[in-house]
């Protein structure tokens, strides 16, 4: 074979390989498209009793407006919104009362018109039961809307502006997670979005909010989907996924979607098919990569309720101020879905649904699989409140005590993420963070399927949540400690550098002085030198004179007396002037007088000092001090011993702190208290001395020292009282 | 004699040759795979909490890390607490030991807080802070950068007007996470409150106190 | 209270009771063909096991009733009672179940913590300590002029009545001990094999009983198919390979191996013990294959006629290693990871 031939064959081969690859890709795409309409399955999953019929008997209703609406400023995933209203301000329905703080945040709006009666931490549905900052609005019942900007044809508006609109309207995912919708719709530098998925699965038992919304408001949802598709630059496929246990909703959605290119895909009911990752697997066969987002595989997923909220926001300019919530549970007389303003206290809702206090054992926010119990029924409905479940004890019995894990593996069978829950459980108990991560703890979606089937009733999900939180905090701490180390090292370096620089400067100065001296000696004969010498002599003489003056206590005393008398004269004059002055000048004069009086005071003190100095004449210390001052003004201070001393001081401080800590540790509570009191007393004494000194020196911080002393005394008294009380109890 | 020598010469040669070969190999490895610095100190230092508080008796975390590598005890770090001791024990392949109370006790995480109205701007706390987490200038109010404060409390003592408090770090909603659940039944016999020991919930503590009194 | 708030009704106790329920056909077959000896064994084992469990719980300061209620000790006792030769002296079940509960289970930390299958530990302790007593199996009643009556049974177990008159070689022993005879000849001459349908009279029924129970457990979702299928398929394959068309060197037919000895009991009741087995499904398959392999190797070339117990214990050793290499592929990850690969941080 000739070389030419050979290259050609090689080229041919390459071509054919490329063709084959292209063909394979086309085939893959085609098969994926086919698969899209034929739903896939995902591993694991469970079939808990659906309990959906209780709340689907009635159309979506409403309840009377609550008197007070508690609107938390964080109802979403992300940072807390910044309040925009003041106490006592009147707000209109739909008025923005909280501004999104940063990118991952959400604006908050007034759900009804009324007055802001409080800006304070309000209860919020959260497993921690912690309150968050919020706005309390006392409603006036007028439901007076603020100005809204409707938009007839969204296609005339740029997608960027629509996104801004959605952001302004504070739309967070209504499926339960509450991620800001605008952020999700604006994928930053990801792959191209080829699929928009609308999630109408609602796989959790009991919850029917999406179901009822789809039945009654299908056209609004479809209109919202159109907007979403437009914003995403018309992705190739738009899939609306609904579980097959909602025939009415499927029917309504099919009808509403007629004439559009949206596909409605129906798949068998299985929990948790509504999980975003699971739904993506069902509808497209793709998997969201570990630590990635759906956008990484070209998919954006939104809830049906969110689609509707987007429609309302774009078409009518309505912000997100109400949502459809399922109110269900055997402890209620009436079970249904309601469209309720955000901020409505759950207590208010329960009251209007005939909650039977005797039967009620707990309130669950969300569904029975992923929801959490509420400590406080004054918590309000927020953007993520899909369901309020009030079961009786028989309906959802409290879990029996957990037994040891027997590694039966039921949990691994049902895990939709193909994890090994029993292994994770072991390692969570052992707090083995490395192993937990090796077993992919962070891929757990906390769906609760494992706990549901666990024959030993182990609260597995709680272990995972706790472990995740621990790891997250440990990582944060690690980061913080790394930063602290860096700063510490940097500080050390800086101090060393500063020390070195000082040292060098001193050296340079000393050398310069030395050189100058030598030069002077060398040139002592020249006239300039003579002149310089003379000049130096003059300076020295002047210095000596000043020194002598200052050194003489008698002279000082005399000067002090002089200044005192002059000050006193001035005060007298001032007083006279003040007496004669017209009313409008009085304030000014009074101030001047006060200043003069202060001067007198000062002069008196100086006099007293001078007198004291004069009394202890001979070699008065002040003179020595002054001499030292003069010296230090000319020559460089001796650096070595000082810094040494400082270092020693630091060391001593550490030693002292250590000794104190050691002593503290080895003492009983009472002893500790006593020791603390001793330490306090010492500090008070020190502080008194400091104050005295400050007074003597007329330090401007006298007041600060005085208050500090006062406070320390108070503290000391408190401690002593505590000690006395403790002693009494013993 | 010669026979005897020839009999042992082969093993001698073989063994000697092997010794030389392996020695050369080891020498080569020592040169080729030499690790710069003292990685163990780095590793120990990485586990310490970097509060730089000096409670261990060393001026900072790194000196303590060096001391640990040179054989000092690993239980002198109260801010790190038992968790750090366990990690150190794991790293150094030692038995974990309880925290040495001589150096202090484990406490909740705290940060320094300057009551700004009372601050006189003396800069003493700024000089004391080991991680430069206090900002301010002479005669101007100082304040603590909460995110950078390690809670070492070295700034409290030097303050002339006592305006620095150590306040417990509050957990925010975002930081909150549930605790590891309690076991339905106590699994291990030593979990039971026993005579002479203080249980964690203090249910037995009263009796103890009375005994002591 | 943490989610989920809803729970499936299954409790550990119910799972254990399902296992006991599934063992009924096999036990019934044992009673029909070998008499009531197995029931005495089960009773003795159960009483001892529960007493030991309660005693240890008491010593360890744990709630006794709470742990007895999970029936795990009962299941251990049941399986050991089934595995022991019927009409053996009373102290065998007592020693065996005490070893199973105390040595193998409680010393390791109780339910869920034992690395070895307790019933099999009890069995192997007895087999090694008392090889003679442990290998004397009574023949099926029809081959030995009727199984022992109740009074005879009690005399055998508690008195010093000799069992020699009732014992017969098991099918596996027959095949092992007659390496110079063609299999077909054995099937003609040995009544044990001649009366049965290929796998030994009585024994095949017992194994069929356990197979039935196993299928029930599969149907109820209590066990997965992986371990049993792994074990049975391996035994089938190996016995096919070494069947040697029934020559005098043959190690026995596949049917004989599958339906004789403790094959079905082991496949569905022993190796499916979740605590001491592998955790993932792939791991279970490998675990089953390992048990099948070792069982066959010992049966064919080792010094014991049956070897399920040894095979299970040996594979228990291997379970953590199997787990390490058979992690399932987690959603969103490219390849399954070995647990030893700790993520770089």
């Amino acid at each position: 074979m000739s070389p030419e031939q050979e290259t050609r064959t090689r080229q041919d081969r390459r071509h054919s390989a490329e063709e084959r690859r292209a063909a394979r890709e086309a085939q893959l795409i085609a098969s994926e498209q086919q698969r899209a309409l034929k739903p896939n399955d995902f591993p694991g999953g469970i079939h808990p009793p659906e309990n959906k019929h209780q709340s689907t008997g009635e159309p979506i209703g409403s309840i009377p407006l609550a008197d007070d609406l508690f609107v938390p400023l964080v109802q979403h995933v992300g940072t807390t919104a910044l309040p925009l209203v003041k106490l006592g301000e009147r707000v209109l329905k739909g008025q923005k009362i909280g501004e999104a703080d940063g990118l991952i945040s959400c604006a908050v709006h007034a759900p009804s018109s009324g007055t802001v009666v409080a800006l304070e931490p309000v209860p919020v549905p959260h497993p921690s039961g912690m309150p968050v900052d919020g706005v309390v609005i006392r409603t006036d019942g007028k439901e007076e809307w603020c100005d809204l900007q409707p938009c007839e044809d969204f296609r005339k508006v740029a997608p960027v502006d629509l996104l801004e609109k959605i952001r302004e309207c504070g739309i967070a995912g209504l499926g339960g997670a509450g991620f800001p919708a605008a952020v999700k719709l604006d994928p930053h530098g990801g792959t191209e979005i080829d699929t928009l998925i609308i999630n109408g699965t609602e796989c959790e038992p009991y919850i029917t909010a999406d179901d009822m919304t789809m039945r009654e408001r299908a056209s609004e949802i479809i209109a919202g989907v159109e907007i979403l598709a437009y914003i995403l630059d018309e992705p190739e496929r738009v899939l609306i996924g609904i579980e097959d246990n909602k025939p009415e909703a499927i029917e309504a959605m099919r009808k509403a979607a007629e004439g559009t290119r949206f596909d409605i895909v129906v798949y068998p009911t299985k929990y948790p098919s509504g999980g975003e990752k699971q739904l993506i697997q069902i509808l497209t066969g793709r998997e969201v990569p570990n630590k990635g987002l759906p956008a990484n595989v070209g998919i954006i997923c939104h809830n049906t309720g969110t689609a509707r909220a987007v429609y309302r926001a774009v078409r009518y300019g309505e912000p997100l101020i109400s949502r459809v919530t399922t109110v269900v549970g055997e402890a209620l007389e009436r079970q249904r879905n309601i469209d309720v303003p955000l901020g409505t206290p759950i207590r208010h809702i329960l009251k209007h649904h005939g909650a039977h206090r005797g039967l009620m054992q707990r309130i669950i926010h969300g569904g029975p699989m992923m929801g959490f119990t509420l400590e406080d029924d004054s918590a309000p409905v927020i953007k993520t409140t899909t369901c309020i479940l009030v079961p009786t004890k028989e309906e959802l019995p409290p879990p029996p005590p957990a037994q040891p894990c027997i590694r039966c593996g039921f949990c691994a069978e049902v895990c939709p993420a193909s994890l090994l829950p029993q292994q994770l459980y072991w390692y969570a108990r052992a707090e083995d963070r490395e192993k937990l991560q090796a077993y992919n703890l962070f891929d757990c979606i906390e769906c609760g399927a494992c706990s549901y089937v666990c024959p030993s009733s182990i609260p597995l999900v709680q272990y995972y949540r706790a472990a995740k939180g621990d790891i997250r905090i440990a990582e944060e701490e690690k980061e913080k400690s790394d930063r602290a180390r860096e700063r510490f090292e940097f500080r050390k370096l800086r101090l060393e550098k500063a020390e070195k620089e000082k040292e060098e400067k001193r050296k340079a100065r000393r050398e310069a002085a030395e050189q100058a001296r030598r030069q002077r000696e060398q040139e002592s004969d020249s006239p300039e030198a003579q002149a310089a010498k003379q000049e130096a002599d003059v300076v020295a003489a002047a210095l000596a004179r000043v020194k002598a003056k200052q050194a003489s206590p008698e002279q000082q005393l005399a000067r002090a007396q002089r200044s005192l008398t002059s000050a006193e004269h001035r005060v007298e004059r001032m007083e006279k002037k003040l007496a004669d002055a017209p009313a409008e000048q009085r304030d000014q004069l009074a101030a001047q007088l006060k200043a003069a009086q202060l001067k007198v005071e000062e002069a008196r003190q100086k006099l007293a000092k001078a007198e004291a100095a004069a009394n202890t004449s001979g070699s008065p210390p002040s003179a020595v001090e002054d001499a030292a001052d003069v010296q230090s003004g000319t020559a460089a201070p001796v650096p070595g011993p000082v810094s040494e001393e400082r270092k020693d001081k630091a060391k001593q401080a550490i030693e002292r702190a250590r000794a104190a800590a050691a002593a503290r540790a080895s003492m009983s509570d009472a002893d500790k208290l006593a020791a603390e009191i001793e330490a306090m007393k010492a500090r008070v004494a020190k502080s008194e001395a400091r104050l005295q000194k400050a007074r003597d020196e007329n330090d401007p911080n006298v007041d600060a020292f005085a208050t500090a002393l006062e406070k320390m005394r108070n503290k000391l008294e408190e401690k002593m009282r505590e000690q006395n009380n403790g002693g009494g109890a013993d | 004699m010669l026979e005897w020598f020839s009999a042992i010469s082969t093993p001698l040669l073989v063994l000697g040759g092997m010794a030389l070969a392996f020695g050369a190999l080891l020498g080569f490895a020592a040169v080729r795979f030499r690790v710069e610095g003292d990685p163990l100190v780095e590793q120990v230092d990485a586990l310490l909490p970097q509060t730089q508080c000096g409670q261990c008796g060393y001026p900072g975390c790194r000196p303590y890390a060096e001391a640990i590598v040179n054989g000092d005890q690993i239980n002198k770090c109260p801010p790190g607490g038992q968790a750090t001791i366990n990690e150190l024990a794991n790293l150094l392949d030692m038995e974990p030991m309880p925290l040495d109370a001589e150096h202090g006790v484990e406490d909740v995480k705290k940060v320094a807080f300057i009551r700004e109205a009372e601050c006189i701007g003396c800069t003493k706390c700024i000089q004391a802070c080991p991680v430069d987490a206090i900002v301010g200038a002479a005669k101007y109010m100082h304040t603590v950068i909460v995110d950078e404060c390690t809670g070492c409390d070295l700034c409290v003592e030097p303050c002339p007007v006592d305006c620095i408090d150590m306040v417990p770090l509050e957990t925010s909603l975002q930081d909150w996470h549930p605790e590891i659940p309690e076991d339905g039944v106590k699994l291990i016999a030593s979990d039971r409150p026993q005579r002479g020991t203080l249980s964690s919930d203090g249910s037995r503590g009263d009796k103890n106190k009375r005994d002591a009194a | 209270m943490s989610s989920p708030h809803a729970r499936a009704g299954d409790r550990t106790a119910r799972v254990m009771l399902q296992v006991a329920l599934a063992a009924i056909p096999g036990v019934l077959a044992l009673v029909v063909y070998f008499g009531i000896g197995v029931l005495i064994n089960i009773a003795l084992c159960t009483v001892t096991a529960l007493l030991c469990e309660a005693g240890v719980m008491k010593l360890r300061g744990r709630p006794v009733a709470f742990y007895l209620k999970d029936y795990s000790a009962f299941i251990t006792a049941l399986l050991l009672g089934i595995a022991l030769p019927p009409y053996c002296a009373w102290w065998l079940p007592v020693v065996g179940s005490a070893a199973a509960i105390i040595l193998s289970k409680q010393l390791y930390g109780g339910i869920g913590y034992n690395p070895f299958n307790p019933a099999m530990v009890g069995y192997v302790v007895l087999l090694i300590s008392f090889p003679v007593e442990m290998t004397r199996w009574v023949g099926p009643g029809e081959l030995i002029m009727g199984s022992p009556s109740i009074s005879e049974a009690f005399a055998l177990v508690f008195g010093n009545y000799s069992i020699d008159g009732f014992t017969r070689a098991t099918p596996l022993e027959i095949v092992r001990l007659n390496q110079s005879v063609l299999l077909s000849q054995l099937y003609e001459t040995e009544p044990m094999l001649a009366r049965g349908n290929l796998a030994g009279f009585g024994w095949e029924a017992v194994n069929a009983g356990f197979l039935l129970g196993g299928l029930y457990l599969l149907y109820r979702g209590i066990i997965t198919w992986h371990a049993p299928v792994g074990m049975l398929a391996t035994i089938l394959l190996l016995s096919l390979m070494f069947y040697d068309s029934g020559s005098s060197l043959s190690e026995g037919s596949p049917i004989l191996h599958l339906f004789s000895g403790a094959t079905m009991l082991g496949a569905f009741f022993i190796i499916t013990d979740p605590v001491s087995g592998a955790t993932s499904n792939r791991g279970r398959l490998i675990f089953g294959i390992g048990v099948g392999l070792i069982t066959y190797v010992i049966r064919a070339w080792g010094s014991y006629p049956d070897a399920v117990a040894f095979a299970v214990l040996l594979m228990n050793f291997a379970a953590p290693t199997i787990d390490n290499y058979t992690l399932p592929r987690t959603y969103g990850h490219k390849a399954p990871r070995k647990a030893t690969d700790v993520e770089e941080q």
Side-chain angles (χ1 to χ4, degrees), chain A residues 208-530:
Chain A
T208 55
D210 287 349
D211 187 2
M212 293 308 288
T213 313
M214 285 191 284
R215 288 191 205 184
E216 295 184 15
R217 297 163 182 180
S219 55
E220 290 189 346
I221 295 173
I222 296 295
V225 178
E226 271 170 355
I227 298 172
L228 293 175
Y230 171 69
I231 292 174
L232 292 170
D233 199 17
E234 299 298 339
E236 277 168 47
R237 292 179 297 170
V238 178
L239 307 171
I240 302 171
I242 310 174
E243 261 185 357
D244 67 358
N245 61 353
K246 304 177 187 60
E248 294 92 340
I250 295 166
E251 188 53 38
M253 289 294 281
R254 284 229 162 101
K255 213 176 258 170
E258 262 170 33
T260 64
R261 63 195 186 91
F262 307 153
D263 293 314
I264 291 180
V265 191
V266 178
Y267 38 87
T269 302
K270 179 162 97 170
Y271 181 85
S273 53
E276 189 175 64
K277 291 175 170 179
Q278 279 63 43
L279 185 61
I280 288 170
Q281 200 173 7
I282 291 172
L283 295 183
T284 66
R286 299 181 205 170
E287 284 186 19
V288 180
N290 168 38
K291 287 176 185 162
L293 294 170
N296 295 133
V297 286
I299 294 170
I300 293 283
C301 195
H302 275 286
N303 176 265
T304 46
T306 317
R308 177 178 170 266
V310 165
Y311 169 72
R312 301 290 306 183
V314 171
R315 175 67 187 81
Y316 302 105
E318 278 176 26
L320 183 59
I321 53 168
S322 72
R323 68 156 298 145
V324 177
T325 296
T326 308
V327 185
V328 70
E330 294 296 321
L332 298 174
E333 266 167 36
R334 194 169 185 196
Q335 305 179 47
R336 59 170 177 168
N337 280 277
I338 52 170
D339 196 341
V340 59
L342 303 178
T344 305
I346 286 169
R347 182 188 298 154
H348 180 76
I349 295 172
L350 295 183
K351 200 175 78 196
H352 285 278
H353 287 81
H356 195 291
R357 293 273 150 185
L359 294 174
M360 226 168 93
Q361 41 133 0
R362 56 187 153 159
I363 305 165
I364 297 168
H365 180 271
M369 297 303 294
M370 292 185 74
F372 48 87
T373 48
L374 291 180
E375 303 288 320
D376 184 0
D377 65 356
S378 63
V381 168
I382 58 171
K383 290 173 185 173
T384 55
T385 310
T386 50
C387 177
I388 299 161
L389 174 56
V390 196
T392 59
K393 213 168 194 155
E394 292 70 40
E395 200 177 1
L396 288 179
Q403 290 171 302
C405 169
I406 54 165
R407 290 160 55 103
C408 63
F410 293 175
C411 46
E413 305 277 309
V414 300
C415 180
S418 303
L419 297 167
L420 289 176
Q422 77 275 39
Q423 299 300 102
L424 290 173
Y425 163 68
W426 285 124
Y427 294 126
R429 282 185 71 103
E431 295 182 28
D432 186 340
R433 291 177 192 148
E434 279 182 7
K435 275 274 198 272
L436 281 169
Q437 274 165 316
Y439 276 90
N440 301 326
L441 171 67
F442 281 90
D443 288 294
C444 169
I445 58 166
E446 302 176 16
C447 67
C450 49
S451 307
Y452 178 80
V453 296
C454 180
S456 294
S457 307
I458 300 170
L460 292 162
V461 179
Q462 198 184 338
Y463 278 97
Y464 307 150
R465 287 201 184 112
K468 279 182 182 176
D470 272 344
I471 291 176
R472 236 178 254 133
I473 284 178
E475 270 170 10
E476 271 167 29
E477 266 172 18
K478 178 97 186 53
E479 202 182 300
K480 197 178 163 183
S481 83
D482 283 347
R483 227 165 44 219
R485 180 184 304 117
E486 224 168 78
R487 292 174 79 92
F488 178 65
E489 303 281 323
F490 179 77
R491 179 173 184 268
K492 233 167 56 182
L493 219 70
R494 195 191 68 217
L495 291 182
E496 272 167 21
K497 210 172 129 195
E499 198 60 44
K500 223 159 137 194
E501 269 170 16
K502 252 194 222 163
E503 179 69 29
E504 261 162 26
K505 249 187 216 162
R506 270 181 228 125
K507 224 162 118 193
R509 231 182 291 155
R510 217 178 298 148
E511 264 167 27
E514 185 79 0
Q515 211 170 1
R517 195 177 53 80
R518 240 178 280 138
Q519 211 171 9
R520 253 195 330 264
E521 275 171 13
Q522 270 178 12
E523 299 171 1
S524 57
D525 302 331
S526 72
E528 289 97 343
Q530 292 281 354

Side-chain angles (χ1 to χ4, degrees), chain B residues 18-165:
Chain B
M18 276 166 74
L20 276 177
F22 283 123
L25 199 68
L26 282 175
F28 171 75
V31 175
R32 175 74 182 76
F33 302 108
R34 210 162 81 90
V35 187
E36 292 299 329
D38 191 351
L40 193 56
V41 174
E42 297 290 330
Q43 286 173 38
V44 172
D45 193 34
L47 293 180
L48 293 174
Q50 305 300 327
T51 44
Q52 319 292 359
C53 60
Q55 286 184 69
C56 53
Y58 295 94
C61 293
R62 175 138 192 131
Y64 181 42
E66 277 161 18
I68 286 177
V69 173
N70 289 328
D72 200 354
Q73 294 293 344
I74 58 171
N75 59 352
K76 296 184 174 178
C77 181
Q82 197 60 46
T84 298
I85 295 174
N86 292 348
E87 278 171 27
L88 284 173
N90 194 20
L91 173 71
L92 302 169
D93 204 14
M94 296 163 70
E95 278 297 310
M97 47 181 91
L99 182 67
D100 187 354
E102 214 177 273
H103 296 274
V105 282
E106 231 175 306
D107 202 355
V108 288
K109 288 239 170 327
K110 288 182 172 173
V111 286
F113 173 75
I114 296 179
R115 290 194 302 275
E116 290 166 357
E118 293 160 34
C119 174
I120 56 170
C122 68
T123 73
K124 287 204 169 96
C125 54
I126 295 181
Q127 290 159 31
C129 180
V131 291
D132 287 340
I134 302 179
V135 287
K139 308 270 180 194
Y140 287 95
M141 176 189 89
H142 305 336
T143 196
V144 176
I145 311 172
V146 177
D147 283 350
E148 304 296 348
C149 175
T150 63
C152 67
D153 89 357
L154 290 179
C155 53
V156 175
E157 171 79 17
C159 180
V161 292
D162 197 35
C163 73
I164 304 183
D165 283 328

Side-chain angles (χ1 to χ4, degrees), chain A residues 403-407 425-426 456, chain B residues 187, chain C residues 12-13 16 53 57 60 62 66-73 75-76 101 104-115 118 273-275:
Chain A
Q403 290 171 302
C405 169
I406 54 165
R407 290 160 55 103
Y425 163 68
W426 285 124
S456 294
Chain B
L187 276 184
Chain C
T12 305
M16 295 290 179
E53 179 105 339
M57 283 302 166
R60 293 173 67 195
R62 301 190 188 189
F66 181 81
Y67 280 95
L68 287 189
K69 265 193 301 195
D70 66 24
Y71 294 115
S72 62
I75 292 300
T76 300
I101 296 294
S104 162
K105 188 174 162 194
Q106 294 297 351
L107 282 189
Y108 283 98
I111 181 171
Y113 292 85
N114 47 304
D273 168 34
V275 178

